[in-house]
Amino acid sequence: MRVFLWMALSLGVLIAHAVQAREMVITVDDLPWVEFAHGTRSEIQPRHRRLLSALKGIPAIGFVNEAKLVDGAQLSLWRQQMLIDWLDRGFELGNHTDNHNDLHQVPAEQFEQSILRGERYLRPLLGQRQQALRWFRHPYLHTGMDAATRERITQFLAAHDYQVAPVTVDNGEWIYARAYLLALQQRDRALQARLRADYVDYMLAKVVFFEDAAQRQFEREIPQILLIHANALNADALPDLLTVLRIRGYQFIALAQALADPAYRHDDQFFGRGGISWLHRWALTDQFPKSHYEGEPSVPDWVLQLAGVDGE
Ligand SMILES: [Zn+2]
């Protein structure tokens, strides 16, 4: 009897998912790797390979900080190879400035130089494969605190044939990643497992929150764009995260395909300090009430404390 009940419930769940087809882009920032300062080559390389294995079959895109290719004063061949691995496996690459410059901290001209320095290796690398460098992701999602700066950088990017890669599912994954790195260094396997499980729950809750936000803003769901980083946490936890997303009905699509959705042509009059979700930028432009933003999941205190981070 119990087995039948379980089967009936499972079938119900499957049918519910079948009618709810959803789309998402997986974008991975700070390539080739976030944590070069906190791991040896022999630790990082297998993590990098696990991350790429988890992404197998998904049209993911990675955003590169070229300054990370230099170790000390030397160009690092094994770090370069990490980028080549992304391309060899069929993923896209984009520019994320050379040294993760913050547009809200440096003059616009300096920011523009960091964009150009961020393509010195990348553009020829893609060119060898008859691919164009076409995507740019703003570090910290900082797009300019005033209209003039934002417009200037937008024009600069367009003049260099870049399209901006937005994010809808912004999140505090980087905080989990810091805590996870410490748990790895402490060889605390129980804590690692607890962090991975909580991370997956948290990210799913974030995704659900932005599904609801899109529903209120567009009266439908839109293709979501998820931001994560190339780090040890995702090397270990991304398979589980992708599994729960697939169960929720997500198919993973390329960035260009998502941006073809008319939602991404929505007016954006957001000029502010925060590096926030594009859904929130559109909601602010449309003057949604405060209640629209309520209920967004936050990183729990125990993770913040482990990571040594005051807040998101
Ligand atoms: Zn970044």
Side-chain angles (χ1 to χ4, degrees):
M1 187 63 199
R2 203 176 258 179
V3 172
F4 280 111
L5 184 63
W6 180 83
M7 280 173 65
L9 283 171
S10 302
L11 196 63
V13 168
L14 280 173
I15 289 165
H17 290 144
V19 295
Q20 192 58 281
R22 297 181 159 111
E23 293 177 322
M24 180 180 283
V25 186
I26 305 292
T27 71
V28 186
D29 280 15
D30 300 7
L31 265 54
W33 199 252
V34 175
E35 297 145 343
F36 283 127
H38 304 280
T40 62
R41 174 179 174 177
S42 61
E43 287 170 330
I44 290 168
Q45 278 179 325
R47 291 173 187 164
H48 157 73
R49 282 194 285 268
R50 284 206 301 281
L51 179 68
L52 293 188
S53 296
L55 290 168
K56 193 175 178 201
I58 292 174
I61 178 166
F63 288 92
V64 178
N65 298 130
E66 272 199 26
K68 287 175 177 288
L69 298 176
V70 179
D71 184 11
Q74 289 251 310
L75 199 61
S76 163
L77 292 177
W78 70 273
R79 293 183 184 188
Q80 280 186 348
Q81 183 59 44
M82 291 170 81
L83 294 186
I84 294 168
D85 291 343
W86 277 77
L87 294 176
D88 283 347
R89 285 162 179 72
F91 303 116
E92 289 188 272
L93 293 179
N95 184 344
H96 192 42
T97 77
D98 70 327
N99 58 353
H100 215 270
N101 245 315
D102 183 349
L103 178 56
H104 295 178
Q105 299 288 337
V106 302
E109 199 197 340
Q110 203 175 316
F111 190 76
E112 289 167 356
Q113 292 309 311
S114 75
I115 295 170
L116 295 180
R117 283 197 308 271
E119 60 173 45
R120 286 187 298 193
Y121 174 71
L122 200 52
R123 198 179 280 281
L125 181 70
L126 290 171
Q128 287 165 15
R129 295 164 184 251
Q130 282 74 49
Q131 292 175 27
L133 179 58
R134 58 187 294 212
W135 301 112
F136 180 77
R137 160 78 41 81
H138 293 80
Y140 312 101
L141 308 183
H142 286 173
T143 53
M145 288 194 284
D146 55 77
T149 305
R150 203 187 80 171
E151 189 53 27
R152 173 176 169 158
I153 299 302
T154 301
Q155 294 294 330
F156 182 87
L157 289 168
H160 291 82
D161 298 322
Y162 283 108
Q163 277 179 268
V164 171
V167 172
T168 58
V169 187
D170 184 33
N171 57 73
E173 164 258 22
W174 61 278
I175 302 171
Y176 279 92
R178 271 194 205 180
Y180 193 70
L181 198 61
L182 291 171
L184 283 174
Q185 286 163 351
Q186 292 162 5
R187 300 180 196 283
D188 186 338
R189 297 181 78 90
L191 182 58
Q192 291 161 27
R194 189 178 166 212
L195 280 166
R196 286 197 303 270
D198 203 84
Y199 166 64
V200 171
D201 288 348
Y202 161 84
M203 291 292 267
L204 185 62
K206 275 276 185 184
V207 168
V208 171
F209 173 83
F210 284 111
E211 287 168 4
D212 291 343
Q215 188 68 46
R216 288 193 296 276
Q217 291 173 236
F218 292 94
E219 293 173 349
R220 64 182 174 94
E221 290 191 28
I222 66 167
Q224 298 282 354
I225 304 177
L226 180 71
L227 166 61
I228 58 173
H229 292 82
N231 56 34
L233 172 65
N234 287 309
D236 294 344
L238 191 57
D240 284 349
L241 177 57
L242 294 174
T243 296
V244 299
L245 291 172
R246 285 188 173 107
I247 290 170
R248 202 166 165 76
Y250 277 99
Q251 287 194 342
F252 302 106
I253 61 171
L255 183 55
Q257 196 183 337
L259 296 193
D261 187 289
Y264 286 93
R265 295 195 290 278
H266 193 284
D267 187 26
D268 177 2
Q269 294 297 324
F270 171 73
F271 310 107
R273 190 168 291 281
I276 60 173
S277 165
W278 263 250
L279 276 161
H280 285 347
R281 292 167 198 237
W282 300 326
L284 288 165
T285 303
D286 290 345
Q287 300 186 318
F288 270 68
K290 265 205 174 106
S291 59
H292 175 72
Y293 308 94
E294 285 168 6
E296 183 165 345
S298 53
V299 177
D301 284 341
W302 70 273
V303 179
L304 289 170
Q305 279 168 17
L306 265 175
V309 173
D310 288 337
E312 285 179 65

